[in-house]
Amino acid sequence: MQNVPNLLSLSRIVVTFLVFTLILISQSWSFLLATVLFVLASATDFFDGYLARRFKVGSPLGVFLDLTADKVFVSAILIALVQIDLVPAWIVVVIVAREFLVTGLRSMAAAKGTVIPAGVWGKQKTFITMVALGGLLLAKGLGAHLLSLFPPMLVFNSQTLHASEILLLVADILLLVGVLWTIISGIEYTVGALPLFQSEQKM
């Protein structure tokens, strides 16, 4: 049981490359399969942390694998979606830049013997972004391509008012909401880390 959380985190990294490849294939069947793998991998994100806490088998390696798997998972999927023109590159830049910012702040805090805990905005950002990506993959798997924000296609008629098309539009909107939450959570982390900079100046 001690190694199960770490194995779950490692499995998420492996699945990342499968989902990445399936997205690049850009066919309805590959998007559907990618959706299934995406949901399963997202579930491991919950269970690895839960099992580590439940059986008290947390470790520095486990924390490293969990955080690394999360960042690689989301970043790789977003990059694949940019490659096939389903997501604009600026969204990926904002999300990845925030991850670098938070990692840098946490590293500086750790060097000073303190911990910057995950904020409410950050947790909500993760949830919103994951729901948006899952919805986008499912919508494409169901053949949606007429109603979206990337590129803007907002013609509402009998051809576009279908569940899959509406799902695609909702997923795009949620992705924008996730970007907004990403920016706010980045500000939240920065504000929380300000005392670290102040103490550095005093020294």
Side-chain angles (χ1 to χ4, degrees):
M1 182 57 69
Q2 183 175 357
N3 293 323
V4 171
N6 293 348
L7 291 175
L8 288 174
S9 296
L10 284 173
S11 71
R12 193 154 69 253
I13 295 176
V14 173
V15 169
T16 295
F17 295 102
L18 295 176
V19 175
F20 181 87
T21 302
L22 289 168
I23 292 174
L24 293 185
I25 293 174
S26 192
Q27 299 293 323
S28 294
W29 67 266
S30 65
F31 280 118
L32 286 176
L33 183 53
T35 302
V36 173
L37 293 176
F38 177 85
V39 171
L40 293 175
S42 299
T44 67
D45 188 24
F46 167 78
F47 284 110
D48 58 6
Y50 170 78
L51 291 174
R53 292 188 299 270
R54 174 68 174 81
F55 296 99
K56 299 180 181 179
V57 292
S59 65
L61 175 61
V63 173
F64 169 76
L65 288 175
D66 184 34
L67 293 176
T68 300
D70 290 345
K71 290 175 173 54
V72 171
F73 186 57
V74 173
S75 299
I77 290 174
L78 285 169
I79 291 171
L81 293 172
V82 169
Q83 178 70 26
I84 60 174
D85 297 323
L86 288 182
V87 171
W90 68 266
I91 286 182
V92 182
V93 171
V94 171
I95 292 176
V96 172
R98 181 263 185 195
E99 296 302 332
F100 277 113
L101 171 66
V102 171
T103 299
L105 292 175
R106 281 179 163 167
S107 297
M108 185 175 68
K112 294 177 179 292
T114 61
V115 176
I116 301 178
V120 175
W121 289 97
K123 294 178 181 178
Q124 293 177 352
K125 176 271 301 181
T126 300
F127 177 77
I128 293 170
T129 302
M130 297 297 277
V131 171
L133 292 177
L136 196 158
L137 293 175
L138 178 59
K140 296 302 295 183
L142 296 175
H145 64 283
L146 298 174
L147 197 61
S148 71
L149 294 180
F150 315 119
M153 292 186 293
L154 300 175
V155 178
F156 297 92
N157 53 42
S158 58
Q159 290 183 322
T160 61
L161 292 179
H162 294 286
S164 59
E165 300 291 349
I166 294 174
L167 177 60
L168 178 59
L169 179 59
V170 170
D172 285 349
I173 293 172
L174 282 177
L175 193 55
L176 287 180
V177 174
V179 170
L180 177 59
W181 256 244
T182 295
I183 295 172
I184 295 174
S185 68
I187 295 173
E188 180 185 35
Y189 274 102
T190 302
V191 171
L194 285 179
L196 298 175
F197 292 102
Q198 293 170 356
S199 62
E200 183 71 25
Q201 293 174 354
K202 291 179 181 179
M203 293 175 63

